[in-house]
Amino acid sequence: MSIEKDIQQNSFKSPYSKAVINIFYTNNWLTSLQMEIFKPFDLTPQQYNVLRILRGQYPEPITVIAIIERMLDKMSNASRLVDKLLAKDLVIRKVCPNDRRAVDVIITQKGLDLLAELDVLQQKWEEQLYGLTECEANQLSCLLDKLRNSEPSNELEELTKKITNN
Amino acid sequence: MSIEKDIQQNSFKSPYSKAVINIFYTNNWLTSLQMEIFKPFDLTPQQYNVLRILRGQYPEPITVIAIIERMLDKMSNASRLVDKLLAKDLVIRKVCPNDRRAVDVIITQKGLDLLAELDVLQQKWEEQLYGLTECEANQLSCLLDKLRNSEPSNELEELTKKITNN
DNA sequence: AACAAATAATTAACAAATCAATGTATTGAC
DNA sequence: GTCAATACATTGATTTGTTAATTATTTGTT
């Protein structure tokens, strides 16, 4: 039992606090890296997230409310996010014929091309950065599920199963 | 090998993607819960974080730049955060006598009392929500460290070791 | 001592998140 | 069919995050 280990133990109130702080810290770390990747493409992580949701649905349209449901983070302003994507010609938007309150959003070819470019970068990023084996990555997911008292493949799975290429 | 398991495997590109998305998701989940706790006290998670840093230093003062160094998230506007805390009489602020460019910040008794109240809530929150054993919580921390290619107890440890009651 | 460079904090400017209010369209009760 | 209630999206107002510019002080060089 090394001194370092003692110090480590003592500086956190409990293994739970330590894990929670570590999740916050790792989340910030991952987000910063992602932003670096997206910056040259003038895309925020949220915009990227929406584009991927749209790709998962392509060539079917998807309404704004359905986008909100599938977004990982609670919500910024989906309307405004779509506005931003529209301004860059990455999506098209039109009134839904079945329900004229709703708005159909579809990713454009330009949007698909951009995602294809980013896929390559994301892939490289993964390969370079991860110090985990595949098995450990799975373990990590299981522990996070358990932390949330959630059966593996519950809400998270539902959220993502319609998003291709995650 | 159940169908669910197949679906689960197929809907993610790799165990790495799955783990990263799970971290984002869990981070949002934790942040939402924390905000619910803090809302009745009119405190944001960032303000709470700063208060805990100040408590860790108490009764010594700490400069704004030292607060920034110890904050978990890169940075909002530390000056503005301190302004907000000052407006609520949770801290006091005065020019540092040794270096008149710098500003010394100290938590007030009112701030300490508020944190003490929140400690209890945080504790209950932990007890109720965590589906992990202590051992699993430690495992989780180790895997996150490994994901970041970081030796356990590196930057994260340094950041937190001066903050009591973590 | 004088002056350029560096440092600490604040302020300003702009983008994004958040929440409430509004404008349409649809649904359901009667 | 009418009207209240609900649903979908947008808009507005406020706060926060982020970056750069600014002010004041200190440090180091000559």
Side-chain angles (χ1 to χ4, degrees):
Chain A
M1 193 65 49
S2 67
I3 291 177
E4 289 85 353
K5 204 132 195 184
D6 278 332
I7 292 172
Q8 190 178 347
Q9 291 294 53
N10 289 336
S11 62
F12 291 100
K13 205 179 62 183
S14 76
Y16 300 112
S17 305
K18 184 175 160 186
V20 168
I21 290 173
N22 212 334
I23 290 169
F24 288 149
Y25 186 78
T26 304
N27 183 74
N28 288 334
W29 184 81
L30 286 169
T31 305
S32 303
L33 288 174
Q34 257 201 325
M35 284 198 295
E36 270 180 45
I37 292 180
F38 295 149
K39 189 170 274 181
F41 298 90
D42 191 31
L43 212 61
T44 64
Q46 279 74 15
Q47 289 170 7
Y48 175 67
N49 189 215
V50 171
L51 278 184
R52 290 211 306 190
I53 290 167
L54 294 174
R55 178 171 65 180
Q57 209 60 15
Y58 187 80
E60 292 302 309
I62 184 172
T63 63
V64 173
I65 203 169
I67 292 173
I68 293 172
E69 275 164 13
R70 292 182 191 177
M71 285 183 71
L72 278 178
D73 33 23
K74 269 205 254 330
M75 251 315 294
S76 74
N77 197 316
S79 290
R80 275 197 274 256
L81 268 177
V82 171
D83 280 347
K84 290 287 167 67
L85 295 173
L86 192 68
K88 296 174 200 163
D89 296 320
L90 300 175
V91 305
I92 54 179
R93 179 169 61 176
K94 56 186 172 188
V95 172
C96 173
N98 302 331
D99 182 343
R100 286 169 48 225
R101 288 170 303 183
V103 167
D104 277 342
V105 183
I106 309 179
I107 189 169
T108 61
Q109 188 58 47
K110 187 175 172 189
L112 290 169
D113 292 345
L114 177 58
L115 277 188
E117 254 189 292
L118 288 169
D119 283 341
V120 178
L121 291 176
Q122 283 269 102
Q123 181 63 32
K124 277 190 190 155
W125 177 57
E126 265 187 21
E127 285 165 6
Q128 285 175 355
L129 294 174
Y130 293 359
L132 298 178
T133 64
E134 289 209 356
C135 173
E136 287 169 330
N138 280 322
Q139 267 188 287
L140 177 53
S141 284
C142 288
L143 288 171
L144 291 169
D145 289 339
K146 230 179 152 185
L147 172 78
R148 298 195 312 277
N149 284 306
S150 138
E151 289 304 309
S153 89
N154 259 12
E155 331 93 65
L156 180 61
E157 179 62 19
E158 265 180 42
L159 262 175
T160 51
K161 72 183 164 200
K162 288 176 184 164
I163 309 173
T164 55
N165 279 93
N166 272 349
Chain B
M1 195 63 50
S2 67
I3 290 175
E4 290 84 354
K5 203 130 195 185
D6 279 332
I7 292 172
Q8 189 178 344
Q9 291 295 53
N10 289 336
S11 62
F12 291 101
K13 207 179 62 186
S14 75
Y16 300 112
S17 305
K18 184 175 159 187
V20 168
I21 290 173
N22 212 334
I23 290 169
F24 288 150
Y25 186 79
T26 304
N27 183 73
N28 288 332
W29 184 82
L30 287 169
T31 304
S32 303
L33 287 175
Q34 258 203 324
M35 284 199 295
E36 270 180 46
I37 292 180
F38 295 150
K39 188 171 276 180
F41 299 90
D42 191 32
L43 213 61
T44 65
Q46 279 75 14
Q47 290 170 6
Y48 175 67
N49 189 215
V50 171
L51 278 185
R52 289 212 305 191
I53 291 167
L54 294 174
R55 177 171 65 181
Q57 207 62 15
Y58 187 81
E60 292 303 309
I62 183 173
T63 63
V64 173
I65 203 169
I67 293 173
I68 292 173
E69 276 164 13
R70 292 182 192 179
M71 285 183 70
L72 275 179
D73 33 22
K74 269 206 253 328
M75 251 316 294
S76 76
N77 198 318
S79 289
R80 234 167 15 195
L81 269 177
V82 172
D83 280 347
K84 290 289 165 71
L85 295 173
L86 192 67
K88 297 175 200 163
D89 296 321
L90 300 174
V91 305
I92 54 179
R93 180 169 61 175
K94 56 186 171 188
V95 172
C96 173
N98 302 332
D99 182 344
R100 285 169 47 226
R101 289 170 302 183
V103 167
D104 278 342
V105 184
I106 309 180
I107 189 170
T108 60
Q109 188 58 46
K110 187 176 173 188
L112 290 169
D113 291 345
L114 178 58
L115 277 188
E117 255 189 291
L118 288 168
D119 283 342
V120 177
L121 291 176
Q122 283 271 101
Q123 181 64 31
K124 277 192 192 156
W125 177 56
E126 266 186 20
E127 285 166 6
Q128 285 176 355
L129 294 172
Y130 293 0
L132 298 178
T133 64
E134 290 209 356
C135 173
E136 287 169 331
N138 280 321
Q139 267 188 288
L140 176 54
S141 284
C142 288
L143 288 171
L144 291 169
D145 289 338
K146 228 179 154 184
L147 171 79
R148 297 194 313 275
N149 284 306
S150 137
E151 290 303 312
S153 89
N154 259 13
E155 332 93 64
L156 180 61
E157 179 62 20
E158 265 181 41
L159 262 176
T160 51
K161 72 184 166 200
K162 287 175 186 164
I163 310 175
T164 55
N165 279 91
N166 271 349

